[in-house]
Amino acid sequence: GHVKPAYLTSLVKIERKMNVCADALPRLAALTGGEAEVMKAWGEYLKLSNKEKTSLADLGCHVGAFSSTLEDLAQKALLYRLGEKTYRQCAVLAWSLESEKADISAWEKIVTLGQRWQAPVFPATGADVLALGVGAGPKVGEILSQLEREWIDVGFSWTTSELMARLKTMVQGQQ
C-alpha cells in the first residue's frame, strides 16, 4: 500500500489538540490509511515485536467501528471491550482518517469518553455458572458470553443481583 502522509499530519494535529500522548503505532497506522492488511505487512517489514504487531492489528481491526456518529452505548461498549488505551488510539486514528468535514465536537466527546466514564467490571464468573449446576466445559463460557452481551446491551445498568437473576433464568431455560 501507498504511504498516506495526510492522515499522519491529521493525527498529529488531533494528538496536540486533544493533549494525547504521541504514540508510534497509531502514527504508523495513520500512514497506512488505516488499512489492516497494510498495517500487518508493515509490522512484519519493520520487525515489530509480537506485542507491537498485536497492538497494530488491534488498531486495524477496530478502527472501522468508530465514527463521529457513534451512539453513546456503542462508544461505552467499545471502551469496555478494548480498554482505555486501545479505545483512545482507535478513536484518534479514526478521527484522523475522516475527512476535513469531521464533526470536531462529536470526535472530542468520543476521544475523551475514558476520562468521563469508567468501564465497569463484569460481575459474573464461571463459578457463578457452575454454582447453578452447569457442568464444567465450554457451555460455561458460552453462557457467560451471552450474559455479558445482554449486560452491555442494557447499558451496563443491571445491578449484580439483577445480573445473577438473569443468569439463573438463562441456565433454567437451557435445562
Side-chain angles (χ1 to χ4, degrees):
H2 295 18
V3 175
K4 298 176 177 149
Y7 293 130
L8 176 60
T9 301
S10 178
L11 181 88
V12 170
K13 286 179 186 173
I14 293 165
E15 287 173 342
R16 288 182 181 143
K17 176 180 180 50
M18 299 304 298
N19 202 22
V20 172
C21 219
D23 191 326
L25 292 179
R27 287 179 174 204
L28 177 59
L31 281 172
T32 71
E35 296 175 28
E37 287 303 312
V38 178
M39 285 187 224
K40 183 178 178 184
W42 281 22
E44 294 295 328
Y45 177 76
L46 295 172
K47 302 200 183 323
L48 298 179
S49 71
N50 287 338
K51 183 179 178 187
E52 289 168 328
K53 286 181 201 170
T54 299
S55 295
L56 192 60
D58 285 347
L59 287 173
C61 213
H62 300 295
V63 70
F66 287 80
S67 77
S68 60
T69 59
L70 203 58
E71 297 285 331
D72 188 57
L73 179 56
Q75 292 173 38
K76 288 178 177 177
L78 283 166
L79 178 56
Y80 172 77
R81 293 259 185 230
L82 300 176
E84 207 275 327
K85 181 179 179 183
T86 302
Y87 172 90
R88 186 182 62 254
Q89 289 176 332
C90 285
V92 169
L93 177 60
W95 182 1
S96 74
L97 298 175
E98 206 171 84
S99 69
E100 291 295 318
K101 66 182 183 333
D103 181 343
I104 293 169
S105 64
W107 277 115
E108 286 174 342
K109 261 186 79 179
I110 292 167
V111 169
T112 60
L113 177 63
Q115 297 165 8
R116 297 186 320 277
W117 183 76
Q118 173 95 30
V121 175
F122 184 58
T125 66
D128 297 317
V129 180
L130 294 171
L132 292 172
V134 175
K139 193 73 179 159
V140 173
E142 292 167 15
I143 291 169
L144 280 175
S145 291
Q146 176 62 36
L147 181 63
E148 185 180 37
R149 280 192 300 276
E150 290 181 22
W151 177 67
I152 292 168
D153 289 345
V154 297
F156 309 92
S157 63
W158 288 339
T159 63
T160 300
S161 57
E162 289 170 327
L163 189 97
M164 293 305 160
R166 175 62 187 129
L167 174 60
K168 189 174 183 181
T169 302
M170 287 173 70
V171 170
Q172 288 171 344
Q174 294 183 2
Q175 292 176 340

